[in-house]
Amino acid sequence: MSDITLNDDQRMLVDSARRYIERGYTAAQRAQAMAREDGCLPQHWSAFAEMGWLAMAVPESQDGLSASTLDLCLLAEEQGRGLINEPWLASGVLATDLMARAAAPAVQDAWLPALAQGARRIAFVPRQAALVLRADANAPRLDGRSGLVVGAAGADAWLVEAHRPDGGTALLLAQADPSAIRVEAVTCYDGRSAARLHFVDAPVQLLAEGDAALLAVQAAERRAGVVHAAELVGSIQRAFDITLDYAKTRRQFGRSIGDNQVVQHRLVDLLVEVEETRALVRAAARTLDDDSAAPSLAARRAAAAVAQAAGAARHAWKECVQLHGAIGMTQEYELGQYVRRLAAAATLFGGEGKHLDTLAALALDDASLAREAAATLA
Amino acid sequence: MPDPTQDLEPFRQALRDFLRQHLPTDIRDSVRRGQPLSRERTIAWNGILAAHGYLVPHWPKEWGGLGWTVNQQLAFDEEMCTHDAPELNAITLDMIGPVLVRYGSDAQRQRFLPAIASGQQWWCQGYSEPNAGSDLASLATRAERRGDHYVVTGSKIWTSYAQYADWMFCLVRTDTQVKQQAGISFLLIDMKSPGITVRPIVGIHGWVVFNEVFLDNVEVPVDNLVGEENQGWTIAKSLLEFERLKLARVGENKRRRARCRTVAMERQVNGRRIAEHEWFRTRFAQLDARLLALEANAERFIARAQAGERIGADVSMLKLRGSQLIQLWEELTVDALGEDALPLDAQRLEGGGDAPEGLAAIAGTASSRRFLSRGYTIAGGSSEIQHNILARQVLGL
C-alpha cells in the first residue's frame, strides 16, 4: 500500500535507491562484497557516498544532510529489499549518529566530513563486562574483549562503550592500531561481516562519561534500532513477493498452489504482518522525529517496532520456506539469501526479547516510566 | 507529517471534559467492570450524547451530524473507549442511520432519522438465518407482495439485542428465480408487528445477546421497502468506508488493555503482583506491540480517507487484526485472574447488584467477556471471509 504521507523528496529517495540497487548491486556484486573479510566492496562504499547515503546521519553543521529517521528508514527498506551487504547501518547510521551526539566539536570536525565522504568507516562497540577503561587522566587506555559486532571489521575507528574503574560508563574513540587492537573478523551466515575486538593497553580518546554517555548511546541505539527494523521490513517484503509469485506459478495437481485456500490464507497472514510492521516502523520513526511527541510514546513505538520486525522476520522466513517446498531449502535459489538474512538479522539490536522487556517495563513498571521521562528531559 | 494526534489535543480535551461532567457514575462503573448495560441505561446515555450533538456526529449536518473529519470521529471513539463510556449501538447509529440517509425515501428519513438521532429508538439487524451465515446471500426468509403490503415468513438468528429492539432492518427474498444476490430486498419491520416472536439465546458467556426472530406472515407496508425491490444486497454491502476504519477497534483494544493492566497491577500470586511475573510481562508486551502496530496501520488508512482517497479492499486487514487482538487481551486478562475469574458471579449478569471497584469488579465479568469476544472474529464477515477477500482482491490469488 502506498504511503500517501510521503513527500516528493522521500519518493525520489526511494526511487533512486531502488534504481541503483537493481542496476548496480547484482547478485554477483553482492557475492564480491561477501567474499571480503570486511564485507564491504570499496566501489559500493564510494557509490553510497556519492548518493549521499553516508551523509544522512551527519548534521548539516558538518556538511551533512541531517536526515530524518523516516528518511533513514525509507532507504533502509530499499537496502533490505536488495540485501545490501555493506555496513551502512553500522557505520553510516548508528556510529555516525552516536558520534554526532556525543563527541566534542573538534572530534566531529576530524571525523564526520570524512565519514560522509566515505573516506572512513567507524562502528559502535556496545558494553561488555570485559571492556574496562584504565583511569589515567592524561592517557586513557582500554583493555578487554568485545562481543561480536556486525560491521566492526575494516573500520578505521570504533566507538566503544566501556566500564570505568568506578563502575560508571565511558564512551571512547579507539583508532585502528594493530599493535594494540586485534580484529578477529568473522563472516556471518547471511554474508555480513562481524568482528570481535581485542584491546590490549589500547590508547583511546574519551568522548563522554556517565549519564551523558548513556543517554547518547540510548538515543543512537533507539534510532538505529528503528532503522534496522525498516531494513527487516524491506527484506521481508521481498521474500514475500518471491513467495507470492511462486505460489501463482508453481503448479501441482493441475492448478497453482496458490489456488489452495490454505496457502492463500497463510500468504494473507504474511501480507498483513508486513503491512502492519511497516506502518509501525514508520510511525516509530515519525515519533522519534517529532520533538513535541510524548517521550513515552516514542519509547514504546521504537521498542515495539524492533520487537514486531524481529518476530515478523522469523515468521516470514519460515513460512516462505514452507510455502515453497523443497526449493525453498536451497542456497542457490534467490529466496535462500533472504532466509539467511532474515534469520540472522532478527537477532540483532537485542532481538525480540530485549524489546519486549522494554515494552513490559514501560507499561507495567511505574519507575521505568518515570526514568524515561527524566532521561528525555535531561 | 506530524503526528495527527497532536493537532487533535484541544478537541480531545473538550471530549474528556464532557465525559467528566456528563457520564453518569453508575454507567461508567458498569463499563469499567465490563458489565452489559440495560436498555434503559443505554437509552439514557444516548439521550445525554444526543443533547450535546455527540450521538451521531458522523452523520451529514442536515440530519444532526457535526461535519467532523475522519480523524476527529476516530479520536472521539477512542476517548469514549479509554474513559469508560459505553460502546454505542453501531447497528442503529452506524448502519441503519447512514443507510437511510443514502437510500431511504424522504418519508422514511423524516420518519426514522430524527428518532434515531435522539437516541431513543433501538434497531436490530435481521441478516443471518439458520442456513445463511457467512453465505448470507443464500437467505430464505420470503417476502411476498400483496397489495400495499409484503407478507414476510421465515426466521432470523444471531440477531443481537432483538429483545430490546423497536425496529429491525431485514434482508428478505423477493425473487427466487434470479441469481441469489439479485432477489433480495431491504425491509424495515416494526418489532411490535403481529406474527413476530423473539426467542432469546443464552450465550456461552451467560448473557443474552443473541436471539432467534421468527416471522410468521408478518405484514410490512410497502412504504417500508428501502430502495428498489431486489436492491437489498447492494444496500447491505454499502457499509460506509468510515465504518470499515472503525473495525480496527483501536479504542476498544485500548479499553481492554487498561482492564488487563489493572488486573496485573492489583492481583498478587505468591506475594508478587502478576505484573512482575515473567510469563505475563512477555505476553503483555507482545500484545502491546501488536496494538501499536494495529494503531499505526489504522492511521495509514485514516490518512488515506482524510485525503479523500478511496479505501481499498486491503482495509479488511484492520477488521481481521483488530478482532483477533481483542480476543487476545480478553484471554490474557482471564489468565491473569486465574481462579479469581472462575465464580459464576451474579454481577456478571445484567443489572446484577453493585460490583466493587478494581480487581474484584473486573473478575466478575472477565470470563463472560472472554467468551463474548469469540464473536468478534465470527460476526460481520468472519476472519476466514476476510482472508478470502484479501487473497482475492489484494494478492490476486
Side-chain angles (χ1 to χ4, degrees):
Chain A
M1 173 172 124
S2 68
D3 186 341
I4 67 158
T5 57
L6 297 185
N7 63 35
D8 288 345
D9 287 346
Q10 289 166 330
R11 286 174 211 283
M12 259 169 54
L13 170 68
V14 170
D15 289 346
S16 68
R18 186 168 300 188
R19 263 201 315 278
Y20 164 74
I21 292 169
E22 280 175 357
R23 281 206 311 259
Y25 207 92
T26 61
Q29 288 165 315
R30 179 166 178 271
Q32 278 181 284
M34 286 165 61
R36 293 173 56 92
E37 193 178 74
D38 64 359
C40 181
L41 205 60
Q43 76 204 52
H44 287 156
W45 201 251
S46 311
F48 291 4
E50 273 168 39
M51 290 183 289
W53 294 0
L54 304 178
M56 289 174 78
V58 176
E60 280 172 343
S61 57
Q62 292 286 348
D63 296 333
L65 297 171
S66 288
S68 66
T69 311
L70 181 60
D71 288 352
L72 292 169
C73 285
L74 295 173
L75 176 56
E77 264 188 60
E78 293 308 313
Q79 294 211 7
R81 191 174 177 276
L83 284 187
I84 296 300
N85 206 63
E86 280 70 12
W88 171 74
L89 180 58
S91 177
V93 180
L94 174 56
T96 299
D97 186 32
L98 180 54
M99 181 172 272
R101 287 174 194 271
V107 179
Q108 296 198 24
D109 290 344
W111 283 89
L112 291 177
L115 290 170
Q117 290 155 19
R120 286 176 167 188
R121 271 201 291 123
I122 57 175
F124 169 62
V125 178
R127 178 138 59 152
Q128 282 285 324
L131 286 171
V132 181
L133 174 70
R134 194 122 46 80
D136 179 339
N138 298 324
R141 306 257 162 179
L142 178 66
D143 282 308
R145 196 185 82 149
S146 78
L148 195 65
V149 180
V150 171
D156 300 288
W158 300 274
L159 296 176
V160 185
E161 187 187 11
H163 291 272
R164 289 189 313 208
D166 66 2
T169 300
L171 185 65
L172 312 169
L173 179 67
Q175 298 204 44
D177 173 358
S179 67
I181 305 172
R182 184 164 66 84
V183 180
E184 180 194 341
V186 175
T187 300
C188 303
Y189 59 76
D190 66 337
R192 276 187 174 149
S193 157
R196 277 190 201 85
L197 305 178
H198 301 259
F199 300 93
V200 181
D201 197 26
V204 290
Q205 201 173 341
L206 183 64
L207 299 185
E209 288 185 279
D211 282 350
L214 278 176
L215 287 174
V217 167
Q218 185 189 49
E221 280 192 321
R222 179 174 289 170
R223 190 176 194 213
V226 172
V227 179
H228 154 73
E231 192 188 340
L232 279 174
V233 168
S235 297
I236 297 169
Q237 181 71 59
R238 179 68 191 137
F240 173 72
D241 290 344
I242 293 169
T243 306
L244 177 61
D245 190 49
Y246 187 79
K248 288 178 178 178
T249 49
R250 167 74 171 169
R251 296 181 73 80
Q252 290 287 277
F253 301 105
R255 59 181 187 167
S256 309
I257 58 173
D259 286 342
N260 295 289
Q261 199 178 45
V262 65
V263 173
Q264 293 178 356
H265 287 195
R266 288 170 70 163
L267 285 165
V268 165
D269 284 335
L270 288 176
L271 163 79
V272 174
E273 199 156 28
V274 73
E275 291 287 352
E276 274 197 341
T277 307
R278 179 184 291 112
L280 175 58
V281 167
R282 291 186 184 180
R286 288 187 166 111
T287 312
L288 289 183
D289 289 334
D290 179 1
D291 293 335
S292 66
S296 61
L297 183 64
R300 283 180 71 212
R301 281 187 165 164
V306 184
Q308 174 86 11
R314 196 180 52 219
H315 177 225
W317 78 253
K318 291 189 291 191
E319 281 293 88
C320 289
V321 168
Q322 181 67 25
L323 290 167
H324 270 84
I327 187 75
M329 300 280 296
T330 58
Q331 191 170 334
E332 68 173 298
Y333 180 58
E334 186 187 8
L335 180 73
Q337 306 298 315
Y338 286 88
V339 166
R340 284 166 167 248
R341 170 60 55 83
L342 288 171
T347 66
L348 299 178
F349 285 86
E352 192 179 13
K354 174 186 165 184
H355 296 278
L356 288 180
D357 279 353
T358 303
L359 271 180
L362 287 167
L364 301 171
D365 304 342
D366 294 331
S368 167
L369 281 173
R371 224 178 12 250
E372 184 64 37
T376 315
L377 290 175
Chain B
M1 189 185 78
D3 186 342
T5 57
Q6 290 297 316
D7 316 324
L8 287 172
E9 200 39 45
F11 175 81
R12 285 176 179 270
Q13 191 54 53
L15 294 175
R16 288 194 282 264
D17 290 344
F18 162 77
L19 287 169
R20 206 169 15 254
Q21 276 176 36
H22 297 286
L23 177 58
T25 320
D26 62 324
I27 292 181
R28 188 201 61 201
D29 290 348
S30 268
V31 171
R32 225 173 249 175
R33 293 174 203 127
Q35 284 179 314
L37 282 196
S38 65
R39 184 183 200 277
E40 292 65 37
R41 288 157 103 192
T42 305
I43 296 275
W45 174 236
N46 282 350
I48 295 170
L49 286 172
H52 291 83
Y54 288 158
L55 189 64
V56 290
H58 51 299
W59 286 16
K61 280 188 174 163
E62 182 188 359
W63 296 107
L66 293 176
W68 282 353
T69 63
V70 177
N71 266 329
Q72 286 174 312
Q73 292 171 36
L74 290 155
F76 173 77
D77 285 343
E78 193 181 316
E79 290 300 331
M80 298 273 282
C81 283
T82 48
H83 293 87
D84 304 306
E87 192 169 0
L88 294 175
N89 182 345
I91 297 280
T92 305
L93 303 170
D94 299 342
M95 296 189 65
I96 188 60
V99 159
L100 291 175
V101 167
R102 184 159 168 197
Y103 294 99
S105 66
D106 283 340
Q108 287 167 346
R109 293 179 187 168
Q110 296 293 351
R111 180 174 178 194
F112 294 113
L113 291 179
I116 294 172
S118 74
Q120 307 306 298
Q121 194 174 71
W122 195 305
W123 286 72
C124 65
Q125 171 188 273
Y127 280 13
S128 292
E129 296 183 4
N131 292 313
S134 287
D135 180 14
L136 185 59
S138 68
L139 61 92
T141 294
R142 285 280 285 142
E144 282 179 46
R145 176 94 183 244
R146 287 193 206 146
D148 58 356
H149 281 76
Y150 287 100
V151 177
V152 182
T153 297
S155 65
K156 295 289 174 180
I157 197 167
W158 318 128
T159 316
S160 296
Y161 299 109
Q163 76 271 33
Y164 293 164
D166 305 301
W167 284 82
M168 171 167 68
F169 56 97
C170 196
L171 293 181
V172 294
R173 183 153 305 284
T174 37
D175 190 339
T176 54
Q177 305 303 309
V178 292
K179 190 175 162 244
Q180 281 183 336
Q181 285 84 346
I184 294 170
S185 296
F186 195 105
L187 284 186
L188 310 177
I189 302 180
D190 187 338
M191 291 297 280
K192 290 185 292 295
S193 309
I196 292 187
T197 314
V198 175
R199 182 179 77 87
I201 301 171
V202 181
I204 49 175
H205 34 68
W207 291 328
V208 174
V209 176
F210 301 140
N211 298 269
E212 190 158 13
V213 179
F214 299 96
L215 301 117
D216 179 15
N217 289 297
V218 177
E219 291 194 0
V220 179
V222 171
D223 287 346
N224 289 6
L225 172 72
V226 178
E228 306 286 318
E229 194 172 272
N230 296 327
Q231 200 196 352
W233 188 253
T234 309
I235 297 172
K237 281 204 316 180
S238 72
L239 194 59
L240 293 181
E241 300 219 319
F242 159 62
E243 216 17 58
R244 296 182 202 278
L245 294 175
K246 274 175 74 170
L247 291 176
R249 298 184 190 273
V250 173
E252 286 292 323
N253 270 290
K254 288 186 176 176
R255 193 208 284 280
R256 282 163 178 81
R257 175 187 186 271
R259 262 195 218 122
C260 184
R261 185 176 180 278
T262 300
V263 170
M265 300 304 263
E266 294 186 15
R267 184 167 188 262
Q268 298 214 351
V269 172
N270 290 333
R272 279 191 311 147
R273 294 178 306 156
I274 295 291
E276 297 167 57
H277 291 247
E278 283 307 318
W279 68 266
F280 178 85
R281 296 174 71 82
T282 304
R283 278 175 66 188
F284 189 95
Q286 281 166 340
L287 300 195
D288 219 12
R290 282 184 67 159
L291 175 53
L292 289 162
L294 174 74
E295 184 181 30
N297 204 21
E299 280 172 4
R300 284 203 299 185
F301 285 94
I302 295 164
R304 249 203 253 174
Q306 190 84 24
E309 288 197 10
R310 266 193 64 82
I311 295 175
D314 49 350
V315 76
S316 274
M317 70 177 76
L318 297 184
K319 199 266 176 185
L320 182 64
R321 297 291 270 199
S323 57
Q324 289 171 339
L325 189 54
I326 281 189
Q327 295 174 339
L328 292 167
W329 284 119
E330 298 286 10
E331 200 77 45
L332 183 57
T333 305
V334 167
D335 288 351
L337 283 161
E339 309 82 66
D340 289 353
L342 287 176
L344 176 63
D345 198 313
Q347 62 181 268
R348 77 172 54 157
L349 299 173
E350 181 192 333
D354 295 316
E357 285 299 303
L359 181 59
I362 295 170
T365 58
S367 296
S368 289
R369 298 213 68 85
R370 186 262 309 271
F371 288 127
L372 183 71
S373 75
R374 302 317 302 179
Y376 284 96
T377 53
I378 299 172
S382 68
S383 289
E384 289 66 31
I385 296 287
Q386 306 301 330
H387 274 91
N388 286 347
I389 292 170
L390 289 164
R392 202 168 306 135
Q393 299 188 35
V394 179
L395 297 182
L397 288 166

